[in-house]
Amino acid sequence: MLDVIWVGGNIASMEVGAGPWGAIRDAALGVKDGRVAWIGPRADLPGPPEGMARKVCDFPGQWITPGLIDCHTHLVHGGNRAREFEMRLEGASYEEIARAGGGIVSTVKATRAADEATLLDSAAKRLAALTREGITAIEIKSGYGLDLETELKQLRVARRLGEQAGVTVRTTFLGAHALPAEFEGRADDYIDFVCAESLPAAAEAGLADAVDAFCESIAFSPAQTERVFRRAAELDLPVKLHADQLSDLGGAALAARHGALSADHLEYTGEAGVKAMVAAGTVAVLLPGAFYTLREVQLPPIDLFRRHGVPIAIATDSNPGSSPATSILLMLNMACTLFRMTPEEALAGVTRNAARALGMQATNGVLARGKAADFCIWNIAEPAELAYRIGFNPLDRRVRAGDEDLAVNSEARRV
Ligand code: DI6
Ligand code: FE
């Protein structure tokens, strides 16, 4: 006996090899113990739905997609950087602001000063904006503490957020994000500290699911990044990398050499980097919100990713500086309009490929028998509508582990 069976609408399962969108029209979806126990055309059900499940739910003419996954965020932080936004409008560049002690380092100050409850409260509001748009899983990085205590504080808050909001949270330790003031002029000593103290402490406390670094001229060199990655391997933690965002330091290839789950940003990645990523199975995570905010003109090499078969994920990069974004639907639109991805590629980028960027592909990212019953029900006539609109939210309901969520969007119901 199933717990629930959903009937009456269509499903974009996002399964590979199941046709466009993995679409099943006039479908049925059965859930048992938080997992998908039956999925297919309603006509193939072995009997009437009432006889198969304790509860029958209708989703007339709507579409179900896998729950959306935001696989790259810096959601937990103190303060905001609206002033920096104004400075950029007055002509300062992101790099100039960073070099002048603004940028990431100014958020570090605010995050160190904030207590846990304040951080939790501000991040919960940003997370609520994302869950209202169908996010069921999210990655959250540290990297605005840089000292031991604040890095752990950020990661603890990230974990609590997930429990509080009914979202699967994957935490990533990003100690090598920026050089803290107390290590001015001593970047190698800071990397020593990360490898000897903060990273092992985060691992020991069970607070890190992965390790990331910012490999860039304004952050850490490839050699410093590799030291962090070797330490991560010793601690049995997978890695990912902020790579080739502002210049080509060979970050994508470096990430691939270390078997990274993902390499992220990638505006300046060349063909050698792309080939290295395919060989390593590293996902390309593209961040259109940062591209837009920084008014970048160098596009990530989408055609090369396609040609070589690198899976592409899309994420908000939600952070107070380069991407103050809390709308995953807007990212879908930007992925299409700015990066010329198709709406189907964009949706795969926040479902199937985002799951893979987090190492969650065994359980999440597509709707198939045995996968987590994490899904969204949308008031749309065709799935391309998810990427098409700007600033409109057609989410009707969000279901996580089989449980229907509170986040019913009554506005959308009237449309
Ligand atoms: N790249 C990013 O997009 C964020 N961090 C990073 O390494 C930006 C962080 C910030 O500006 O606060
Ligand atoms: Fe980032």
Side-chain angles (χ1 to χ4, degrees):
M1 194 73 166
L2 300 170
D3 297 331
V4 189
I5 190 158
W6 295 79
V7 289
N10 313 301
I11 298 176
S13 72
M14 300 313 283
E15 275 253 83
V16 177
W21 311 92
I24 311 166
R25 293 191 189 250
D26 194 6
L29 177 68
V31 174
K32 189 170 174 57
D33 299 331
R35 296 190 171 273
V36 176
W38 200 96
I39 181 168
R42 180 182 186 159
D44 291 356
L45 282 176
E50 295 73 19
M52 287 180 68
R54 272 194 288 279
K55 186 174 165 199
V56 178
C57 292
D58 213 19
F59 64 113
Q62 298 173 306
W63 278 85
I64 285 181
T65 67
L68 307 191
I69 301 172
D70 192 351
C71 68
H72 178 143
T73 85
H74 309 251
L75 203 73
V76 175
H77 59 78
N80 77 69
R81 308 231 294 274
R83 176 62 200 132
E84 189 180 302
F85 176 63
E86 293 178 303
M87 284 164 71
R88 282 203 308 279
L89 290 169
E90 288 155 11
S93 75
Y94 183 69
E95 287 97 324
E96 281 162 4
I97 291 166
R99 287 187 208 285
I104 296 174
V105 172
S106 68
T107 298
V108 169
K109 258 191 222 132
T111 306
R112 287 179 178 180
D115 62 25
E116 223 157 303
T118 306
L119 286 179
L120 185 68
D121 187 55
S122 69
K125 292 185 175 114
R126 291 186 282 272
L127 183 57
L130 288 162
T131 56
R132 278 196 296 272
E133 290 189 353
I135 290 289
T136 53
I138 188 169
E139 185 252 21
I140 302 176
K141 302 174 195 291
S142 69
Y144 288 127
L146 309 179
D147 62 22
L148 174 61
E149 185 195 330
T150 317
E151 286 291 296
L152 297 184
K153 177 170 78 178
Q154 269 193 283
L155 295 170
R156 274 195 305 271
V157 168
R159 287 278 169 85
R160 276 181 56 200
L161 270 175
E163 290 155 18
Q164 196 173 281
V167 175
T168 303
V169 167
R170 285 285 182 275
T171 49
T172 298
F173 175 83
L174 176 56
H177 191 200
L179 190 62
E182 60 274 20
F183 280 90
E184 183 73 53
R186 298 187 295 127
D188 281 314
D189 292 351
Y190 178 64
I191 295 296
D192 286 345
F193 163 79
V194 166
C195 292
E197 297 189 41
S198 54
L199 169 52
E204 167 80 12
L207 284 170
D209 299 309
V211 175
D212 191 352
F214 189 17
C215 182
E216 194 57 65
S217 57
I218 54 168
F220 297 98
S221 70
Q224 289 161 343
T225 301
E226 296 219 69
R227 289 176 56 207
V228 175
F229 281 7
R230 281 196 291 271
R231 191 71 183 105
E234 287 168 7
L235 295 165
D236 252 343
L237 289 172
V239 297
K240 34 192 34 268
L241 186 63
H242 282 72
D244 308 334
Q245 178 186 8
L246 308 169
S247 61
D248 184 5
L249 292 184
L254 187 161
R257 270 203 305 286
H258 290 266
L261 287 172
S262 70
D264 303 36
H265 286 289
L266 304 173
E267 279 82 347
Y268 286 84
T269 300
E271 186 154 16
V274 175
K275 285 185 173 161
M277 288 174 68
V278 199
T282 299
V283 175
V285 177
L286 305 185
L287 305 165
F291 179 90
Y292 166 84
T293 300
L294 300 182
R295 303 177 74 225
E296 296 287 343
V297 287
Q298 170 88 21
L299 285 163
I302 316 270
D303 281 335
L304 288 176
F305 293 138
R306 285 193 184 114
R307 202 166 335 130
H308 292 285
V310 176
I312 303 173
I314 301 292
T316 60
D317 193 13
S318 186
N319 76 67
S322 65
S323 190
T326 48
S327 170
I328 196 77
L329 294 175
L330 180 58
M331 298 305 115
L332 294 185
N333 180 269
M334 285 184 177
C336 298
T337 301
L338 299 176
F339 294 166
R340 312 312 286 166
M341 291 174 67
T342 67
E344 186 183 353
E345 284 174 327
L347 186 62
V350 296
T351 54
R352 188 174 69 234
N353 294 339
R356 192 158 161 192
L358 298 179
M360 294 169 65
Q361 67 272 29
T363 49
N364 289 75
V366 301
L367 289 171
R369 197 176 296 223
K371 303 283 182 183
D374 289 3
F375 55 90
C376 299
I377 303 167
W378 305 95
N379 290 312
I380 51 177
E382 291 301 328
E385 279 179 51
L386 293 176
Y388 152 68
R389 293 183 198 281
I390 302 172
F392 179 75
N393 179 4
L395 184 72
D396 180 18
R397 279 166 285 179
R398 189 185 75 120
V399 175
R400 180 167 168 270
D403 285 332
E404 201 178 323
D405 188 72
L406 349 131
V408 177
N409 187 345
S410 51
E411 280 307 304
R413 290 201 140 172
R414 288 203 288 272
V415 172

